[in-house]
């Protein structure tokens, strides 16, 4: 099938990068996570409950909703932190992007490893601006907050098209579709990567990070 | 049309739509409570969480939603609407948002009710969670409290967007197609936040006007028997059971008040309100109590307008304002003059303080007049008179400089017995020991200002009285309960109020009780030369002494 691709762009101040990225990523993952599946006999399964919580941003006038899963939050914060550091250290124009990719695993026969077939990719392009005065920063807080509101509305709009989603798997297939490694929620299999780009969009340093628990990359 | 849908599916679908509507209302109202919402994920399904989402059910909200729905479901032309509005403490109100759950005719026959529709409804609820934090009303609701509150109203029927002002915007949260129609959830929100004039909520009787966060103590209602959700994987069929969260979650009617966590939160339990009629009464209670507890330093008049009641809560706000004035001002508020005793019994401190304040204000004027008249007769010495009148020229200033008057306020003893020689009064030794000059009313005859007095003044006013003579027949305020400002009583066993009362009338220091007959200014002056002569005689001794020190 074709992979759905969505691109979002944000312009933020340096210290807002983390929160802006987390807001977007968590919102997407909120929609792409279910409760834990518990398979029973005869192919039936029950689904656990997903809790949510509000997160206030410190540097942006914004609040987003994320799934109540500390493991997931930690994983995202880790990669977003790496992205922020890479942005800061790149010394470039302050341009970079993160990609959140949802994929399915397709088992191949030996000696070939499993294929990862993405079915949805979210790309967030970030432009870091430097502000001089406190007043500008205050305005930036509000502006970025409003921008993020628009982004959330766009994300929700995409989610609501009810386009392709992987079929609900049987018990043997569940790890090909969902990330079952978390304790309390079950997002679709995803991986997050980021790149620091220059103005032309080409990758200055390509830095890949994988967050999959059980895949080998050949 | 609907023959394609078997009866089990139809029943399931109706149930899904009903609970979806209830959960939608919960999400919207909870998002406007003014607090962050947090629920826990649970890996083991309890079977009680509709749509696999942990959304708490505030019973009152559920009750109101059910009342509005009245057993019906959203259908074409019959939408369920949640109206969010803002109401200021002055009574102005403004609609902020209308959330609409609508159904249109576009059917999706192919869709599987038990599976796809359910999951899509779950996704739609997640979207709603996200969108409710994104509209402008969210930030307003997070800041609600003293100046304004956020209200909600649920109605069923035609969507009414008139109150949103010009240029309102719409955001669509999402749609879910079902075999009987397409469910659409959207929000229309106001852009123009300029204030409109006061309006009455008269269209339909507003339901629960005010929103409370009352989940502090209340246990999660999970009393109804639940069944686990069982799903078959794709390709299989039927035999699915659903959680039966239903009318066993009916709850009592309770009332709300906006309460950011810093204010008082009322957790009204079921035990108190058993009858259905208290819809009206309950909303009366909370505002009153809420007002009594509200922040003293706020000067806003919190006039909650509970549902269709038009309670004159502005009146209730009044004493709070005065209390605010009192607690914030100078401690000399305690110097309430001894009027005739009968301060009307007040139900609580703020009101009492309000009374006191009013009375105090009223007495300033007469005291000035009386005071001036009193001055000339206060002493026989012209010098004294001039000094004292200087000292007394501005009773208000004088009052300001003497910090705590042990006399007057809330005292049962005659004022004259009180001296100003308590240690904590600055320049106490220079203050007149008794106040009996004209009346003993300290407002009429405040002690002299230390700056304008010479040290000898203290002796002046001992004429004719010693400290502690009786004669003050003024009755003081009847003190019901004394809550001193800014005092805490959690550390010491004795609180400030008790301490104050106990040590209000300390006995006079012996060193300051000068014999009356012995002293007068003139005599002091006369005795000066003699004293000087004596000192001069001993000057050599003094010098020698000084040298030893060097």
């Amino acid at each position: 099938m074709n992979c759905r691709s969505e691109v979002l762009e944000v312009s933020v101040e340096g210290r807002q990068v983390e929160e802006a990225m987390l807001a977007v990523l968590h919102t997407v993952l909120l929609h792409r996570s279910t409760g834990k599946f518990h398979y029973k006999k005869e192919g039936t399964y029950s689904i656990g409950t997903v809790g949510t919580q509000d997160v206030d941003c410190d540097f942006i006038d914004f609040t987003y909703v994320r799934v109540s899963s500390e493991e997931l939050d930690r994983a995202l914060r880790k990669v977003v932190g790496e992205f922020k550091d890479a942005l800061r250290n790149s010394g470039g124009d302050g341009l970079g992007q993160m990609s959140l990719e949802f994929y399915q695993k397709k088992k191949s026969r030996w000696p070939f490893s499993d294929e990862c077939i993405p079915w949805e990719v979210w790309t967030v392009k970030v432009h870091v601006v430097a502000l001089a005065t406190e007043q500008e920063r205050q305005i930036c807080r509000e502006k970025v907050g409003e921008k993020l509101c628009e982004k959330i509305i766009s994300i929700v709009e995409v989610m609501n098209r009810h386009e392709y989603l992987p079929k609900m798997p049987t018990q043997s297939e569940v790890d090909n579709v969902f990330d079952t490694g978390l304790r309390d929620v079950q997002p679709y299999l995803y991986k997050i990567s980021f790149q620091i780009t220059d103005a032309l969009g080409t990758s200055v340093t390509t830095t890949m990070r994988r967050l999959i628990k059980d895949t080998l990359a050949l | 049309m609907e023959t394609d849908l078997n009866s089990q599916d139809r029943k399931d679908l109706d149930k899904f739509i009903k609970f979806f509507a209830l959960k939608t209302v919960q999400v919207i109202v909870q998002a406007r409570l003014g607090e962050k919402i947090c629920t826990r994920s649970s890996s083991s399904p309890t079977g009680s969480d509709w749509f696999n989402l942990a959304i708490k059910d505030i019973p009152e909200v559920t009750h109101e939603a059910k009342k509005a729905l009245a057993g019906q479901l959203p259908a074409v032309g019959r939408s369920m609407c949640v109206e969010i509005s803002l109401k200021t403490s002055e009574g102005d109100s403004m609609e902020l948002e209308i959330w609409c759950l609508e159904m249109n005719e576009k059917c999706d026959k192919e869709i599987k009710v038990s599976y796809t529709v359910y999951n899509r409804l779950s996704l739609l609820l997640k979207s709603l969670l996200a969108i409710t934090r994104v509209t402008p009303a969210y930030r307003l609701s997070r800041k609600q409290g003293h100046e304004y509150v956020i209200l909600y109203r649920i109605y069923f029927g035609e969507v009414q967007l008139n109150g949103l002002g010009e240029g309102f915007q719409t955001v669509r949260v999402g749609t879910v197609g079902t075999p009987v129609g397409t469910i659409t959830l959207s929000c229309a929100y106001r852009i123009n936040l300029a204030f409109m004039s006061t309006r009455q909520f008269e269209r339909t009787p507003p339901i629960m006007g005010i929103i409370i966060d009352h989940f502090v103590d209340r246990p999660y209602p999970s009393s109804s028997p639940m069944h686990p959700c069982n799903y078959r994987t794709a390709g299989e069929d039927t035999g699915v059971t659903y959680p039966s969260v239903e009318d066993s979650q009916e709850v009592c009617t309770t009332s709300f008040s906006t309460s950011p966590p810093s204010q008082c939160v009322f957790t009204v339990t079921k035990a108190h309100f058993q009858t259905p009629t208290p819809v009206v009464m309950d909303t009366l209670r909370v505002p009153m109590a809420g007002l009594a507890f509200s922040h003293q330093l706020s000067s806003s008049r919190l006039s909650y307008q509970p549902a269709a009641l038009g309670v004159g809560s502005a009146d209730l706000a009044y004493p709070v304002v005065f209390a605010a004035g009192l607690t914030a001002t100078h401690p000399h508020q305690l110097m309430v003059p001894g009027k005739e005793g009968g301060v009307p019994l007040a139900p609580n401190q703020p009101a009492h303080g309000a009374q006191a304040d009013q009375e105090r204000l009223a007495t300033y004027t007469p005291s000035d007049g009386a005071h001036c008249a009193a001055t000339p007769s206060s002493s026989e010495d012209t010098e004294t008179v001039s000094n004292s009148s200087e000292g007394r020229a501005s009773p208000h200033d004088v009052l300001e400089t003497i910090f705590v008057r042990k006399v007057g306020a809330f005292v049962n003893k005659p004022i004259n017995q009180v001296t100003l020689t308590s240690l904590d009064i600055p320049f106490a030794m220079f203050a007149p020991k008794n106040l009996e000059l004209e009346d003993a009313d300290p407002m009429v005859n405040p002690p002299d200002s230390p700056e304008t007095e010479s040290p000898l003044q203290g002796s002046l006013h001992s004429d004719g009285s010693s400290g502690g003579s009786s004669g003050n027949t003024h009755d003081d305020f009847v003190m019901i309960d004394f809550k001193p400002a800014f005092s805490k009583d959690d550390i010491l066993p004795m609180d400030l109020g008790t301490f104050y009362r106990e040590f209000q009338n300390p006995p006079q220091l012996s060193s300051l009780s000068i014999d009356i007959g012995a002293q007068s200014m003139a005599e002091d002056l006369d005795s000066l030369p003699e004293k000087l002569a004596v000192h001069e005689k001993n000057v050599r001794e003094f010098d020698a002494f000084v040298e030893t020190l060097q």
Side-chain angles (χ1 to χ4, degrees), chain A residues 33 38 45 56 68 160 168, chain B residues 39 43 115 126 142 175 231:
Chain A
S33 300
H38 295 273
Y45 61 92
D56 286 336
S68 286
N160 237 269
M168 284 299 149
Chain B
T39 58
S43 67
Y115 168 72
K126 290 175 185 170
R142 287 295 296 270
T175 60
Y231 285 89

Side-chain angles (χ1 to χ4, degrees), chain B residues 196-207:
Chain B
M196 305 191 325
S197 57
T198 308
R199 297 188 317 131
Q200 300 290 328
F201 281 139
E202 291 305 0
R203 281 168 284 167
T204 52
I207 305 175

Side-chain angles (χ1 to χ4, degrees), chain A residues 27 30-34 36 38-40 42-56 61-63 65 67-69 149 152-153 156 159-160 162 167-170 183-185, chain B residues 35-46 49 52-54 115 119-120 123-124 126-127 129-131 133-134 138-139 142 171-176 189 228-234 236:
Chain A
T27 301
L30 169 69
H31 289 83
R32 292 286 180 250
S33 300
T34 71
K36 298 278 294 178
H38 295 273
Y39 286 94
K40 301 180 182 167
E42 297 153 13
T44 63
Y45 61 92
S46 55
I47 307 182
T49 302
V50 172
T52 58
Q53 61 187 72
D54 292 335
V55 182
D56 286 336
D61 285 345
F62 187 68
T63 302
V65 182
V67 171
S68 286
S69 167
C149 290
I152 302 300
I153 294 177
V156 163
M159 294 297 178
N160 237 269
H162 300 303
K167 268 192 334 183
M168 284 299 149
T170 58
R183 236 179 332 171
D184 37 17
V185 295
Chain B
E35 292 183 352
K36 294 203 293 193
I37 305 293
C38 179
T39 58
R40 299 188 57 166
S41 302
S42 164
S43 67
S44 37
T46 60
D49 296 315
N52 308 118
L53 284 174
Y115 168 72
N119 286 337
R120 288 190 180 175
L123 196 69
L124 188 52
K126 290 175 185 170
S127 298
L129 281 164
I131 296 285
R133 274 61 173 174
V134 144
Y138 180 71
R139 298 221 74 81
R142 287 295 296 270
V171 60
R172 192 165 78 164
V173 183
T175 60
V176 173
Y189 58 94
C229 286
N230 279 325
Y231 285 89
R232 304 210 177 236
T233 54
E236 306 219 23

Side-chain angles (χ1 to χ4, degrees), chain A residues 6 42 47 56 65 103 122 134 144 147 149 165 173 178 201:
Chain A
E6 306 293 335
E42 297 153 13
I47 307 182
D56 286 336
V65 182
Y103 65 96
W122 294 84
E134 200 50 45
V144 171
K147 283 283 171 216
C149 290
L165 281 180
E173 296 279 310
F178 286 103

Side-chain angles (χ1 to χ4, degrees), chain B residues 168-402:
Chain B
F168 64 85
Q169 291 205 355
T170 315
V171 60
R172 192 165 78 164
V173 183
T175 60
V176 173
T178 76
V180 300
T182 300
I183 296 171
T184 306
L185 186 53
S186 60
C187 173
Y189 58 94
R190 167 185 283 273
I191 295 296
N192 175 18
L193 289 174
F195 238 111
M196 305 191 325
S197 57
T198 308
R199 297 188 317 131
Q200 300 290 328
F201 281 139
E202 291 305 0
R203 281 168 284 167
T204 52
I207 305 175
M208 285 299 168
I210 321 177
I211 298 177
I212 190 178
D213 159 47
H214 72 182
F215 270 104
V216 179
D217 294 345
R218 202 184 169 90
Y220 186 0
S222 57
S223 49
S224 51
M226 302 300 181
H227 304 286
C229 286
N230 279 325
Y231 285 89
R232 304 210 177 236
T233 54
E236 306 219 23
D237 216 33
T238 66
V240 193
T241 57
Y242 297 102
S244 59
V245 176
E246 266 129 341
D247 303 317
S248 48
Q249 280 192 11
E250 268 342 277
V251 253
C252 54
T253 57
T254 44
S255 55
F256 297 134
S257 72
T258 54
S259 295
S262 57
Q263 287 189 351
C264 193
V265 171
F266 292 95
T267 58
V268 183
T269 62
K270 200 166 186 172
H272 299 169
F273 303 92
Q274 293 295 347
T275 61
T277 51
V279 174
V280 165
M281 285 181 53
D282 295 348
T283 54
L284 248 185
R285 277 192 227 194
V286 174
M288 288 169 66
L291 285 172
F293 278 91
S294 60
H295 288 304
Q296 288 84 356
L297 294 179
S298 163
S299 60
S300 61
R301 284 164 282 131
L302 302 171
S303 56
Y304 290 99
Q305 195 98 42
L309 281 179
V311 167
S313 45
D315 299 326
L316 292 168
Y318 204 59
V320 177
V321 174
F322 273 107
L326 274 182
T327 57
T329 55
H330 203 281
H332 84 270
Q333 63 180 298
L334 299 175
M335 289 194 286
V336 182
K339 300 294 279 186
E340 54 291 327
V343 170
L345 282 177
N348 53 20
Q349 174 62 12
H352 176 74
Q355 290 283 349
D357 196 6
Q358 290 169 8
E359 295 208 336
R360 173 162 63 98
L361 293 173
T363 57
Y364 269 133
T365 327
S367 75
D368 288 349
H371 178 68
C372 295
T375 308
S377 60
S378 63
S379 163
E380 291 143 28
D381 197 281
T382 49
E383 213 174 328
T384 309
V385 170
S386 59
N387 281 341
S388 68
S389 60
E390 273 170 30
R392 295 178 175 202
S394 54
H396 293 275
D397 292 344
V398 170
L399 287 175
E400 292 293 326
T401 54
I402 305 295

Side-chain angles (χ1 to χ4, degrees), chain B residues 24 28 32 79-85 94-102 128 135 137 151 153-165 168-173 185-190 199 201 203:
Chain B
T24 295
I28 294 170
R32 298 289 175 262
S79 311
M80 189 187 75
C81 300
V82 181
E83 176 191 291
I84 301 291
S85 54
M94 179 165 74
E95 276 176 42
L96 296 177
E97 301 172 321
I98 313 264
W99 296 83
C100 308
L101 180 61
E102 299 168 303
L128 182 64
T135 54
L151 314 179
R153 185 171 80 94
I154 309 173
Y155 63 90
F156 193 69
E158 293 262 340
V159 182
Q160 295 155 22
L161 297 176
N162 314 333
L164 291 176
F168 64 85
Q169 291 205 355
T170 315
V171 60
R172 192 165 78 164
V173 183
L185 186 53
S186 60
C187 173
Y189 58 94
R190 167 185 283 273
R199 297 188 317 131
F201 281 139
R203 281 168 284 167

